[in-house]
Amino acid sequence: MIISIDGPAGSGKSTVAEALSKKLGFYHFNSGSLYRAITAYLIDCHIFSSEDKNFAEKINACKLNVRFDHSCQLVFVNNVDYTNRLREIQVSELTPKFSVHPIVRSLVDECQKDFASKNNVVIDGRDIGSFVLPNADLKFYLDCDINERAKRRLKELSLSNKSLTLNDVKKKIEIRDEFDRNKKIAPLIIPKNAIILDSTHLSVDEVVEKMLKIIKKYKK
Ligand code: DC
């Protein structure tokens, strides 16, 4: 069974996907981590832009694998484990630039499709129900008001950066939304037949409860 969860940055997709997958005994496959791992690999190859003359050659020779250690997703590029590098600042900054490139997207798409064809999975991202796995059994689109998303992000980020303001974070999210919604390949859209849930006034547990009810009905 394939359950996709798409939505804008900060809507809680990946936290919800993690909790839901645990309840169902499914794998939680986080698609953003694959784009991040490829970026970390390119940085190691001293490639910082898709304009680099070696970019296409490196991507075409890339072997991308996902394995699970109990319920923890590990991402390998050419058999090297990149899992601990995914949240590095440089990786976060460069991933949006590489992730829009068609050859990077097709590498990630192939890996996602292959995994989903063999496993029960909750998979979260921005283009899963719309482009990667349009035939997923159940598709959710998790939305959330931008002010609430900014508050949540500020709470996370202020642990390491005390000088950030709510306005700084909100502006960054607005730019990110604009970018995600208007990119030429696989823009963030509400997938056809997706069930829209708004997490603005709901806790993670409440969102998961709603999803579980919907999944139960679907299975009947
Ligand atoms: O969700 P995240 O921050 O880990 O995503 C990392 C980057 O990958 C971000 O720039 C958006 C991109 N991404 C994407 O283009 N498509 C997806 N399905 C998931 C992530």
Side-chain angles (χ1 to χ4, degrees):
M1 184 172 185
I2 302 171
I3 298 173
S4 65
I5 306 180
D6 292 297
S11 58
K13 305 178 293 285
S14 113
T15 314
V16 163
E18 179 70 20
L20 181 67
S21 64
K22 284 214 168 92
K23 291 264 182 196
L24 295 169
F26 285 16
Y27 288 107
H28 168 212
F29 193 107
N30 175 260
S31 59
S33 296
L34 276 61
Y35 293 103
R36 287 172 178 270
I38 293 170
T39 302
Y41 165 71
L42 290 169
I43 291 170
D44 285 355
C45 298
H46 306 285
I47 294 174
F48 303 95
S49 152
S50 56
E51 304 290 307
D52 189 293
K53 63 179 180 4
N54 296 320
F55 169 76
E57 187 198 326
K58 286 287 175 200
I59 294 296
N60 289 329
C62 227
K63 266 205 320 193
L64 182 65
N65 287 107
V66 169
R67 289 178 215 154
F68 279 82
D69 180 11
H70 298 96
S71 62
C72 181
Q73 179 183 329
L74 309 174
V75 191
F76 292 76
V77 180
N78 295 341
N79 295 321
V80 176
D81 185 354
Y82 276 89
T83 314
N84 291 332
R85 307 268 312 277
L86 306 180
R87 300 281 147 189
E88 285 175 5
I89 292 172
Q90 197 182 21
V91 171
S92 297
E93 281 172 4
L94 286 177
T95 303
K97 298 195 174 87
F98 289 128
S99 69
V100 291
H101 206 285
I103 58 173
V104 172
R105 293 211 82 83
S106 67
L107 180 66
V108 172
D109 284 5
E110 204 181 304
C111 182
Q112 295 174 125
K113 283 179 182 155
D114 179 60
F115 190 88
S117 70
K118 298 173 184 152
N119 299 284
N120 285 326
V121 64
V122 178
I123 173 162
D124 71 290
R126 287 174 181 72
D127 61 343
I128 307 302
S130 47
F131 298 100
V132 184
L133 299 164
N135 296 325
D137 296 278
L138 269 174
K139 303 188 223 179
F140 290 103
Y141 183 86
L142 193 58
D143 213 346
C144 183
D145 177 79
I146 187 151
N147 292 305
E148 179 61 24
R149 288 191 278 140
K151 272 191 218 158
R152 291 177 189 171
R153 224 354 97 85
L154 180 67
K155 208 169 157 193
E156 277 166 30
L157 295 174
S158 57
L159 295 172
S160 55
N161 184 351
K162 299 260 180 277
S163 62
L164 270 180
T165 66
L166 187 61
N167 224 16
D168 298 333
V169 179
K170 189 175 162 184
K171 272 193 194 135
K172 279 205 170 151
I173 296 182
E174 276 167 350
I175 294 168
R176 178 96 176 253
D177 281 356
E178 176 81 13
F179 178 82
D180 284 342
R181 292 193 170 116
N182 295 307
K183 60 187 183 185
K184 287 205 181 86
I185 303 177
L188 172 68
I189 55 168
I190 300 175
K192 197 173 165 218
N193 300 329
I195 298 154
I196 303 169
L197 292 176
D198 191 318
S199 75
T200 310
H201 303 293
L202 298 176
S203 68
V204 171
D205 288 348
E206 286 169 329
V207 175
V208 171
E209 270 318 304
K210 278 185 185 277
M211 288 180 169
L212 284 171
K213 276 192 190 141
I214 294 165
I215 294 164
K216 213 170 162 186
K217 265 198 202 153
Y218 171 83
K219 280 183 168 170
K220 270 186 190 164

